[in-house]
């Protein structure tokens, strides 16, 4: 039982990270109907910025966190303006392929800077508490609580601010909202900033939890988070969070009870079955067919 | 009549060259290998184009089918045949690989009856990851370490021959009423069903044909490298194929051929840049997409690839694509 | 002879009853209209007849065969074709391809023959092409065969939808608001056109239409739906004087206000 709870805690930690990344996918999708395939690499850049500021500038946790978030937000906005915005009228797939290109660029540019893998030094004093056989580390607490805090902030922004209202309006109807005087370009930029920032935060936390980083780490984590977003119902913010935690839990539990080589196989098969049962994701609703 | 003659002359010349180049050593081995790679990539791009371009779905797991073909054909030539007979029976091993991949295509086609767009994309993505994971867990084929022992059976003429077969068969399919069914699904699936198109049958056919040729490409790939491991067929390989298709232009045979050729050549030309190659390459891709969002061919088809019976119909095909693409 | 017999068709969307206890007996060569206010369930009836929706309960016998539960394409192959309220052509394909696709169920070569362009492929393709061109020229559209469907003017697109439906060789044709967006003059021509098509192709036709003048003058029989239930059935004169219909649909007694 303790073992199970311990794994549950690990699942919460990993799930929080997946959820944060999945939020970035889902927000961009909700507003542009575009899958930002470079998002996994934004996540990697977050971890990389954390590595740079911690190793070379010796910054403590909070400033490193803020710099990671701001850095990746900026990156997201720049990429959107430079690479995606010109393609908004083009076929949707063109933007997706461009996103793939941006991803490959970010990976290899980071790789070209210096050899890998790198090790992020610990910046948080690693204390742990034990409750009846259940061990909780300070890092775990920070990751889980911080993620929940970020999600709460996001929820507030989307539900209770003007920008959030504009975001929801655009995801509801892309054609009418601009006619209502909503500055669509600014809203899209803000969406990218927030979504990418969450990815950057996830990258940093991931880098602290699993301190070996390399430029390709964003690919698989990113694709997995994308799956989480779809399982939750892509475009749906609550769905992305739920999907992230489901994916985290599945991966950890499978690895806990089966040989670890079966982890991906079992996790993906489960997700596939889930999608076959609910083809539009957990929180997604099928759009009614109009004939 | 001229239009009919030119392709035949080109094909004949291609065949002669594909035999002459290795026989007389006209080009060094490295260049020959690049040519073979181009052939394999053309097969991959064309087969994916059937699903992503003509049918308008977004499959991101093409390398999964490729791996099935690679492993099946490699197991046949290494474990079931002697070295001498493998050389003669290689085409059958490649076909067996294609059939194995096609069976997997059949399985992936079933979810496509119900889901479309992003959700189907996820199904193909998960399929790709699952098959890679399965291969890593089968010790009999080397697990994650990989599988080797194949002879180098993929020569230039062999690769050229299979490329021609692929072009011919996929062209034939597109210019038949089944192929038009594929196009109509892209345009409007409900209307297509109501116009008597058996959409399930059409989707099955498209997936089976597409995955068959991906398997063929896998077989050729395995017997070119003489070594395969599951990591060669992961998502990164799948995205490579995607890039070739969209770089060349969807819904166009000429586009896929161009896309595969340009992409493969660019990667080789940029090789002296070493580590910066893969920094420059995506930048080129991004600029190309910004300036030609519909790919090099921009959805047009070269008349050569249109059967004579269909040619009067000059406007056929594929200007502008909606739904997934708008 | 009865061509189509719908019995007790009921359809629910979630908890909402879109069609309830719909009955219809259609004889061959009839031309009937389904009218009713917006949201009355008219298009839903078409969708059930063509298999887009599977009726929650009830049965439809068409030409001696049960169609409820069959897929749209097999129902079309049995001989029910339709057009759509909003044009749904294959807009990025040529006019000719639009027609050829509608020959799908009548294509007599196998996928293998298609892949190899062998066997019956050549002859069949020629036949389908010839038949398509013949249909197009019948409606004087042959010169547009190579044009992309989306480049045709609106009226022509509407006509092409009817031609495409005819290419499936239907016995029963369902027209969903064929007069939408037309001016009175075009509607006059459309009425002649529908009569002509019915006689030339020996069709039975059901029309959904809001234009009173159109349905009153063209249809032999009318079915009036309101909130999914049939509130009246009869010839145009009877419907015009039916109190229920006046109340539910026409609203005011000004029945003679044809110009609507």
């Amino acid at each position: 039982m303790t073992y199970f709870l311990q794994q549950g805690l690990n699942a919460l930690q990993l799930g929080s990270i997946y959820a944060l990344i999945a939020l970035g996918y889902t927000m961009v999708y909700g507003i542009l109907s575009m899958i930002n395939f470079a998002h996994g690499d934004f996540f990697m850049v977050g971890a990389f910025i954390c590595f740079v500021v911690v190793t070379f500038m010796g910054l403590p946790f909070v400033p490193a966190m803020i710099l990671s978030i701001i850095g990746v937000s900026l990156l997201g906005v720049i990429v959107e303006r430079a690479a995606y915005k010109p393609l908004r009228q083009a076929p949707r797939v063109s933007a997706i392929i461009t996103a793939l290109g941006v991803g490959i660029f970010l990976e290899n540019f980071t790789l070209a800077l210096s050899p890998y893998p790198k090790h992020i030094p610990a910046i948080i004093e690693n204390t742990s508490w034990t409750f009846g056989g259940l061990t909780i580390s300070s890092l775990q607490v920070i990751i889980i609580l911080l993620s929940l805090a970020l999600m709460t902030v996001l929820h507030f922004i989307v539900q209770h601010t003007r920008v959030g209202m504009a975001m929801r309006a655009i995801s509801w109807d892309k054609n009418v909202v601009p006619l209502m005087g909503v500055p669509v370009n600014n809203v899209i930029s803000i969406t990218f900033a927030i979504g990418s920032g969450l990815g950057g935060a996830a990258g940093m936390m991931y880098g602290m939890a699993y301190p070996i980083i390399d430029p390709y780490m964003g690919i698989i984590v990113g694709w997995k988070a994308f799956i989480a977003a779809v399982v939750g119902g892509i475009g749906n913010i609550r769905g992305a969070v739920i999907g992230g935690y489901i994916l985290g839990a599945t991966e950890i539990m499978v690895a806990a009870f089966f040989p670890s080589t079966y982890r991906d196989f079992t996790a993906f098969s489960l997700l596939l079955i889930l999608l076959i049962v609910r083809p539009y994701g957990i929180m997604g609703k099928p759009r009614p067919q109009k004939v | 009549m001229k239009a009919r003659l030119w392709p035949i002359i080109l094909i004949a010349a291609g065949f002669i060259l594909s035999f002459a180049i290795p026989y007389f050593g006209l080009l060094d081995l490295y260049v020959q290998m690049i040519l073979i790679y181009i052939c394999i990539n053309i097969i991959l791009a064309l087969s994916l184009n059937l699903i992503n371009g003509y049918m308008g779905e977004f499959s991101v797991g093409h390398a999964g089918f490729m791996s099935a073909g690679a492993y099946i054909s490699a197991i046949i030539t290494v474990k079931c045949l002697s070295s001498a007979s493998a050389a003669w029976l290689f085409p059958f091993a490649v076909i067996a690989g294609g059939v194995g991949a096609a069976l997997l295509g059949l399985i992936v086609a079933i979810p496509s009856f119900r889901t479309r767009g992003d959700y189907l994309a996820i199904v193909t993505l998960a399929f790709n990851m699952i098959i890679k994971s399965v291969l890593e867990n089968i010790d009999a084929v080397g697990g994650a370490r990989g599988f080797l022992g194949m002879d180098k059976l993929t020569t230039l003429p062999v690769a050229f021959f299979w490329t021609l077969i692929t072009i011919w068969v996929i062209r034939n399919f597109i210019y038949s009423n089944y192929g038009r069914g594929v196009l109509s699904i892209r345009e409007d699936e409900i209307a297509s069903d109501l116009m008597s198109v058996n959409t399930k049958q059409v989707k099955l056919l498209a997936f089976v044909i597409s995955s068959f040729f991906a398997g063929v490409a896998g077989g050729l790939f395995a017997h070119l490298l003489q070594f395969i491991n599951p990591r060669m067929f992961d998502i990164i390989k799948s995205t490579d194929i995607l890039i070739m298709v969209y770089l060349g232009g969807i819904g166009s045979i000429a586009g896929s051929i161009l896309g595969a050729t340009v992409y493969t050549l660019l990667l080789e030309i940029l090789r002296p840049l070493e580590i910066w190659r893969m920094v420059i390459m995506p930048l080129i891709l991004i600029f190309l997409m910004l300036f030609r969002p519909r790919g090099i061919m921009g959805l047009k088809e070269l008349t050569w690839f249109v059967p004579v019976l269909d040619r009067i119909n000059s406007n056929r095909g594929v200007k502008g694509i909606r739904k997934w693409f708008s | 002879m009865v061509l189509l017999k719908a019995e007790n068709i009921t359809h629910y969307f979630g908890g909402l009853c879109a069609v309830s206890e719909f009955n219809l007996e259609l004889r061959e060569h009839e031309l009937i209209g389904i009218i009713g206010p917006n949201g009355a369930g008219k298009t839903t009836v078409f969708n059930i007849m063509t298999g887009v929706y599977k009726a929650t309960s009830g049965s439809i016998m068409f030409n001696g065969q049960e169609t409820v539960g069959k897929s749209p394409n097999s129902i079309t192959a049995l001989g029910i074709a339709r057009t759509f309220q909003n044009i749904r052509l294959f807009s990025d394909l040529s006019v000719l391809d639009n027609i050829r696709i509608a020959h799908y169920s009548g294509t007599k070569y196998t996928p293998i023959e298609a892949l190899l362009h062998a066997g019956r492929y050549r002859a069949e393709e020629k036949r389908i092409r010839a038949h398509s061109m013949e249909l197009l020229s019948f409606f004087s559209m042959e010169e547009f065969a190579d044009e992309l469907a989306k480049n045709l003017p609106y009226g022509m697109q509407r006509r092409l939808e009817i031609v495409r439906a005819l290419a499936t060789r239907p016995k029963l044709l369902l027209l969903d608001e064929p007069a939408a967006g037309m001016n009175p003059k075009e509607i006059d021509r459309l009425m002649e056109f529908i009569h002509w098509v019915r006689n030339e192709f020996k069709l039975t036709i059901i029309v959904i239409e809001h234009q009173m003048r159109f349905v009153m003058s063209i249809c032999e029989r009318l079915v009036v739906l309101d909130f999914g239930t049939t509130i009246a059935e009869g010839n145009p004169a009877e419907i015009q004087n039916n109190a229920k219909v006046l109340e539910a649909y026409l609203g005011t007694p000004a029945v003679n206000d044809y110009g609507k």
Side-chain angles (χ1 to χ4, degrees), chain C residues 29 192-203 205:
Chain C
H29 209 57
E192 282 169 37
F193 177 74
I194 289 177
H195 269 297
W196 175 72
V197 166
R198 173 168 78 146
N199 293 329
E200 285 295 330
F201 293 86
K202 307 208 170 15
L203 289 171
I205 295 179

Side-chain angles (χ1 to χ4, degrees), chain A:
Chain A
M1 191 59 207
T2 349
Y3 179 67
F4 187 79
L5 281 177
Q6 191 73 55
Q7 295 301 338
L9 213 56
N10 291 340
L12 267 181
Q13 176 186 334
L14 186 62
S16 300
I17 292 171
Y18 279 140
L20 285 180
I21 312 171
L23 279 171
Y25 276 113
T26 255
M27 289 178 71
V28 169
Y29 186 91
I31 209 160
L32 285 179
S33 309
M34 172 205 158
I35 305 167
N36 177 17
F37 278 143
H39 192 64
D41 301 294
F42 289 179
F43 156 86
M44 177 273 295
V45 173
F48 183 78
I49 293 178
C50 168
F51 162 75
V52 171
V53 296
V54 168
T55 321
F56 299 114
M57 296 156 75
L59 290 183
F61 176 74
V62 175
M65 179 96 220
I66 292 170
L67 279 178
S68 291
I69 294 180
I70 292 177
V72 179
S73 294
L74 272 179
L75 176 71
V77 174
I78 294 169
V79 166
E80 196 274 325
R81 284 282 153 127
Y84 302 159
K85 190 167 168 246
L87 290 170
R88 227 173 268 162
Q89 304 306 321
R92 222 177 108 195
V93 165
S94 310
I96 291 178
I97 297 301
T98 312
L100 282 175
V102 171
I104 300 173
F105 169 77
L106 289 175
E107 287 150 22
N108 292 288
F109 185 71
T110 319
L111 180 72
L113 292 180
S114 73
Y116 282 89
K118 293 281 192 218
H119 189 270
I120 299 189
I123 41 172
I124 289 204
E125 207 181 319
N126 204 359
T127 39
S128 48
W129 304 277
T130 315
F131 302 101
L134 185 67
T135 315
I136 305 176
S137 72
S138 52
L139 191 65
Q140 267 178 330
V141 173
I142 287 178
I143 289 181
I144 295 170
L145 291 184
L146 199 60
S147 308
L148 290 176
L150 286 173
M151 288 173 210
T152 317
V153 171
L154 176 72
H155 181 79
F156 178 80
I157 293 177
V158 172
Q159 294 298 334
H160 299 287
T161 62
R162 274 168 64 90
V163 172
M165 194 163 70
M167 286 176 188
R168 282 180 287 141
I170 294 176
S171 72
W172 187 257
D173 191 322
K174 288 169 191 61
N175 301 321
V176 175
V177 174
L179 302 175
M180 301 296 174
V182 176
V184 176
N185 285 334
N186 293 346
V187 176
I188 290 176
S189 289
I190 293 170
T191 311
F192 261 87
I194 297 175
S196 314
L198 292 176
M204 168 180 193
M205 293 182 199
Y206 190 88
M208 283 174 6
Y210 315 92
I212 308 289
I213 60 166
D214 78 276
Y216 297 109
M217 66 190 259
I219 300 177
I220 292 299
V221 176
W223 284 107
K224 283 182 180 169
F226 173 49
I227 292 186
V230 175
V231 164
I234 192 146
N236 184 306
I237 287 182
R238 258 171 294 174
V241 174
I242 295 172
Y245 282 112
I246 289 181
L247 181 67
T250 338
E251 285 206 341
I252 295 284
M253 290 304 164
V254 169
F257 297 106
F258 296 96
S260 66
T261 44
Y262 289 102
R263 191 187 64 184
D264 282 2
F265 172 71
T266 325
F268 288 124
S269 306
L270 278 176
L271 294 177
L272 214 55
I273 291 166
L274 202 91
L275 266 187
I276 289 167
V277 180
R278 278 200 69 99
Y280 294 91
I282 294 167
M283 303 292 286
K285 291 191 186 74
R287 294 205 186 121
Q289 291 179 333
K290 198 93 178 94
V291 183

Side-chain angles (χ1 to χ4, degrees), chain B residues 4 165 168-203 205 209 213 294 307-323, chain C residues 47 50-52 71-74 76-77 80-84 87-94 96-98 100-112 114-117 121-122 125-126 128-129 145-148 150-151 161 164-165 168:
Chain B
R4 252 184 175 179
I165 293 278
W168 187 66
V169 169
I170 287 183
R171 181 208 73 156
N172 285 354
F173 181 64
I174 290 304
Y175 292 97
S176 76
N177 242 8
Y178 298 100
R180 286 178 206 116
V182 172
L183 291 167
S184 74
I185 287 179
R186 182 190 70 198
E187 292 295 313
D188 187 333
E189 186 170 342
I190 293 175
S192 150
D193 206 343
L194 286 166
M195 288 306 131
S196 87
V197 175
N198 186 342
T199 49
K200 286 184 180 169
Q201 183 190 29
V202 166
K203 286 177 178 176
L205 278 172
I209 294 167
F213 284 109
R294 285 160 199 273
V308 179
L309 210 64
D310 256 278
R311 246 178 233 174
I312 318 130
N313 184 358
S314 54
N315 238 338
R316 137 174 222 106
V318 213
K319 285 188 189 163
I321 300 229
R322 296 173 305 131
K323 279 169 290 55
Chain C
N47 284 339
T50 51
V52 178
S71 66
N73 64 69
S74 47
T76 309
I80 303 182
R82 70 176 284 181
T83 64
F84 302 91
I87 296 177
R88 296 186 81 140
L89 290 168
F90 306 125
S91 47
D92 284 315
L93 303 183
S94 72
L96 176 62
D97 279 350
N98 268 275
R100 287 201 279 195
I101 286 164
H103 284 80
Y104 188 94
S105 67
T107 305
K108 287 188 199 60
Y109 52 83
T110 60
I112 298 288
L115 290 181
L116 305 176
H117 275 198
Y121 169 83
R122 201 162 284 270
E125 277 290 300
K126 278 188 179 150
I128 290 169
R129 188 195 181 85
D146 288 342
E147 200 61 54
L148 295 189
K150 66 174 176 191
N151 294 341
E161 263 210 332
R164 185 179 67 171
T168 66

Side-chain angles (χ1 to χ4, degrees), chain B residues 63 66 72 98 144 152 158 160 168 181 212 219 224 274 303 308 313:
Chain B
M66 190 186 171
I72 292 171
K152 191 170 183 259
V158 169
F160 186 73
W168 187 66
F212 174 84
L224 177 67
E274 290 171 22
T303 327
V308 179
N313 184 358

